[in-house]
């Protein structure tokens, strides 16, 4: 089920653009390294992200396509230069290291305290469970009504047996007797 797109502004818009550009750069690099069989497999998730995050609504489809296409064009130029060099018999160095994607992931994980331990040898952080606030017990009105009925009957043995089955309700029951 798709999330509805929201209108982005300010820092949220800048963050969404940065994330789209970064994801596009990684996917372009993976296409360059032949990790996708079809170009659409690399691009379709980027378009889906842009729609779901509200970038299409905020920037327009043309601008989103320009942002997605820029890194792919960069790698296309690298491939074209490699082909030209191969035809000319010379080698050129690409402007990115061969392990750029892994370096990028490593830098992200080092910046995140939850993942830093993968690279530093530290112990993983302990996940603190969310505190569950227990609501205090409250005697139900039906129990108060049943108690008043038993008191009105005057059956002390029956009342004593009934009270043994309701130990959590005793303070509230005695307060209701004092109030009466």
């Amino acid at each position: 089920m798709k999330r509805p797109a929201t209108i982005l502004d300010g820092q949220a818009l800048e963050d969404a653009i940065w994330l789209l550009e970064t994801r596009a750069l990684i996917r372009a690099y993976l296409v360059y390294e032949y990790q996708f069989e079809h170009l659409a497999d690399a691009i379709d998730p980027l378009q889906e992200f842009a729609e779901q995050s509200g970038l299409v609504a905020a920037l327009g489809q043309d601008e989103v396509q320009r942002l997605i296409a820029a890194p792919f064009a960069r790698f296309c130029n690298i491939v074209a230069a490699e082909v030209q060099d191969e035809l000319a018999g010379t080698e050129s160095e690409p402007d990115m290291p061969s392990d750029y994607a892994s370096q990028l992931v490593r830098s992200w994980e080092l910046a995140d305290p939850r993942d830093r331990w993968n690279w530093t040898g530290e112990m993983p952080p302990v996940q603190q469970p969310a505190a569950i606030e227990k609501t205090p017990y409250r005697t139900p009105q039906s129990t108060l009504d049943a108690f008043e009925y038993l008191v009105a009957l005057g059956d002390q043995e029956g009342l004593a047996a009934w009270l043994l089955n309701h130990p959590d309700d005793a303070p509230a029951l005695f307060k209701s007797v004092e109030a009466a």
Side-chain angles (χ1 to χ4, degrees):
M1 181 172 180
K2 289 187 177 181
R3 290 184 329 192
T6 58
I7 301 298
L8 300 172
D9 59 354
Q11 188 62 40
L13 179 62
E14 290 176 23
D15 291 345
I17 290 171
W18 176 85
L19 186 56
L20 178 67
E21 289 174 334
T22 303
R23 290 180 68 190
L25 182 62
I26 291 169
R27 287 182 168 271
Y29 179 76
L30 292 173
V31 166
Y32 173 76
E33 291 292 325
Y34 304 102
Q35 299 300 310
F36 286 103
E37 190 170 333
H38 302 285
L39 187 59
D41 294 338
I43 295 175
D44 288 349
L46 298 171
Q47 177 65 33
E48 186 177 322
F49 167 77
E51 291 170 1
Q52 289 178 350
S53 67
L55 281 173
V56 173
L59 302 175
Q61 183 62 40
D62 290 342
E63 179 63 13
V64 167
Q65 286 182 350
R66 188 192 66 75
L67 292 172
I68 292 172
F72 288 90
R74 179 179 178 187
F75 282 103
C76 185
N77 291 338
I78 291 172
V79 169
E82 288 175 351
V83 168
Q84 259 185 343
D85 290 345
E86 191 173 301
L87 292 174
T90 61
E91 287 287 322
S92 70
E93 290 293 318
D95 59 346
M96 297 185 103
S98 63
D99 62 343
Y100 178 73
S102 64
Q103 287 181 9
L104 188 60
V105 169
R106 181 177 187 266
S107 68
W108 288 343
E109 287 183 348
L110 282 170
D112 188 344
R114 296 170 297 177
D115 295 326
R116 181 185 356 256
W117 64 275
N118 288 324
W119 299 95
T120 62
E122 305 169 357
M123 292 295 294
V126 177
Q127 295 289 334
Q128 297 294 332
I132 300 174
E133 188 174 313
K134 186 176 179 183
T135 57
Y137 178 76
R138 185 175 166 269
T139 302
Q141 184 62 44
S142 60
T143 303
L144 293 170
D145 293 342
F147 175 71
E148 289 176 15
Y149 176 74
L150 288 173
V151 169
L153 286 178
D155 180 13
Q156 291 182 356
E157 290 178 17
L159 181 60
W162 186 83
L163 283 172
L164 287 175
N165 291 329
H166 296 86
D168 294 338
D169 298 317
L173 296 173
F174 289 124
K175 281 184 185 175
S176 69
V177 169
E178 289 174 356

